[in-house]
Amino acid sequence: MAYDKPLPVPTREDRPFWEAAREHRFVLPRCRECGHVWFPPYESCQRCLSFEREWFEASERGVVWGYTLMQQPYVPGYRDELPYNVVLVELEEGPMVYSNLVGVPDDEIRPGLAVEAVFEDVTEEFTLIRFRRAEEPSGRDRT
Ligand SMILES: [Zn+2]
């Protein structure tokens, strides 16, 4: 069945992120000047405004910072999945990313849950990064 949910529209700023995801690699931008790591992948450092950006392989790990359960079909294509979760994950590297948790019952989703990235090939061109419960809790698991 054709994928009927919204897809990314890569820009010059985030194209390397999507290309890496397609190879099942989770990369983040890091500033060569001050070491700051940020997301979404704007072209310049959000701390010192330098354009000296490099990409590195992230740990793929983080903790749930917050979440919501969507009850309404605000986005076409998700109607059959209601309710579904949207989580804000705090990555070990610091940045926060919005995503979905897979394989975790709604009543077990909670802040502090240790998670790790999972790659979902949704089309020929795009792989989305979602999260699942981490197999080994990290030192930062607060639950
Ligand atoms: Zn910087």
Side-chain angles (χ1 to χ4, degrees):
M1 197 181 84
Y3 188 75
D4 61 354
K5 300 180 179 66
L7 286 169
V9 180
T11 65
R12 186 180 63 183
E13 295 189 286
D14 64 10
R15 190 175 304 279
F17 173 81
W18 294 111
E19 289 176 352
R22 193 177 169 195
E23 299 168 355
H24 291 200
R25 294 185 302 118
F26 191 165
V27 297
L28 291 171
R30 177 170 55 204
C31 179
R32 284 199 179 99
E33 300 288 340
C34 75
H36 184 58
V37 177
W38 67 91
F39 194 91
Y42 303 112
E43 244 177 343
S44 62
C45 174
Q46 302 301 290
R47 187 158 73 191
C48 75
L49 304 182
S50 168
F51 280 85
E52 294 300 315
R53 176 179 78 167
E54 63 183 359
W55 296 89
F56 71 100
E57 304 272 342
S59 67
E60 305 186 5
R61 298 171 62 89
V63 295
V64 172
W65 193 86
Y67 71 98
T68 188
L69 297 174
M70 304 299 278
Q71 310 284 350
Q72 299 291 330
Y74 295 113
V75 181
Y78 282 90
R79 183 177 297 272
D80 293 341
E81 297 192 17
L82 294 172
Y84 63 91
N85 70 72
V86 174
V87 293
L88 184 57
V89 172
E90 181 180 8
L91 300 174
E92 281 194 350
E93 291 80 6
M96 301 270 203
V97 299
Y98 283 104
S99 185
N100 310 109
L101 278 187
V102 294
V104 181
D106 290 346
D107 62 358
E108 293 181 22
I109 301 173
R110 62 193 185 280
L113 182 69
V115 295
E116 61 190 12
V118 56
F119 298 88
E120 185 177 339
D121 300 321
V122 295
T123 67
E124 292 279 306
E125 293 86 5
F126 288 105
T127 296
L128 302 182
I129 297 178
R130 303 191 201 279
F131 289 85
R132 65 186 176 199
R133 190 192 305 267
E135 287 175 9
E136 294 173 28
S138 78
R140 301 186 62 221
D141 188 359
R142 295 187 294 262
T143 60

